[in-house]
Amino acid sequence: MKILVINSGSSSIKFQLLDMEEERVLASGLVERIGEASGLLATKFNPDTEQQQVVKLEQQIADHRQGMLAAIALLTDADQGIIKDASEIGAIGHRVVHGGEDFHQPTVISKEVLEAITANIPLAPLHNPANLDGITVAMDLFPAVPQVAVFDTAFHQSMPPHAYMYALPHAYYTEDRVRRYGFHGTSHKFVATETAKMLGKPLGECNLITIHLGNGCSMTAVENGVSVDTSLGMTPLEGLVMGTRSGDVDPAIHTFLHRNKGMSLDDIDEVLNKESGLKGLCGMNDMRDIHDAIAQGDERAKLALEVQTYRNKKYIGAYMAVLGRVDGLVFTAGIGENDPDVRALSLKGLEAFGVKIDARLNDQRVKEPLQISSADSTIPVLVIPTNEELAIARETLAIVQG
Ligand code: AMP
């Protein structure tokens, strides 16, 4: 079956067409600058093969509907296209950021599901409306094709109350749904599943710490295959130090900034999400630039690396305590897969807890699943490239095949 995966943002649509017989990517593309004077549609056909072909089109894309139509027109183009017509698409999988407490797993989209995603807009005011745009257009264009919502939050719905409750007045939870939800769930579940395969154990018997370090960063404690704690909270701001997001801060800093600098709540929200993290600490949010700057003697870049990796280590220690027994530590995403220094610094000092990496194995950008721990490490350390599109396609296939 061919599955189209859609990740719809406020002004963009990311899409991938996969042939699930061989789990092969047929085409992968991005519609950008929707609603602006000039939009861009870029598609790679057969991206993982020698026949790769890239097509870029600049044209005005008024809205998500036009964007989706342009993408489908390219996929089915008589000369360049990869499928004869859209009826070859067996199912569509949509990434949805916030499922609140309503969704514990991927779900076929119905009227009730659309209503529930809409009801969760207050929890993800930027993401859920954009996700809904993509879903409604796809449902309208392909009414006969099953459409599945795969939620970023669903994997973490197994967290127990003692992990998801904030120590705030209880009514904030019962009336306003203020609690920890966690995100990146599709990625954490995917790498946990792949790690179990590598360890040769059923996922349901694995205790793992999955460490997703990209532009957004999060860590999850996986007990017997399910998430029991994760570092992102009610919003994707809590926890680890990210590219531009602060992660954990003393909540009283909000009041301090307001009183002492006259900043509004919106200003503070903007700073914590877009001007903090690595960028706040050293002015750069791409780890590659940070390494270049460190090589030039930039002390603030060095500090940014230290603050991020120290926070990683603190969370690893916390999740070791949560799990008691750890069968594997796994790094993934842009930094986790590509940055040996971040991996080594995040684990430095954990040797006494049975975590030892092999410096030679660690010293590479990892493209395929790889164990990087040394032979005498009691806890295996792995790097597993994440693949959220494939994960969404697999979840979608499993749902439509019952
Ligand atoms: P992601 O959000 O998973 O796409 O990760 C994006 C981030 O990965 C970038 O902002 C970089 O900080 C980081 N990254 C990508 N490639 C490398 C690399 N070769 N070395 C270190 N960090 C990298």
Side-chain angles (χ1 to χ4, degrees), residues 212-216 243 278 285-288 291 332-340 365 386 388:
H212 177 113
L213 304 177
N215 202 17
L278 298 170
N285 63 317
D286 191 309
M287 199 46 96
R288 288 163 288 195
H291 284 300
T332 193
I335 299 176
E337 292 162 25
N338 292 305
D339 198 320
R365 293 177 62 193
T386 194
E388 291 184 73

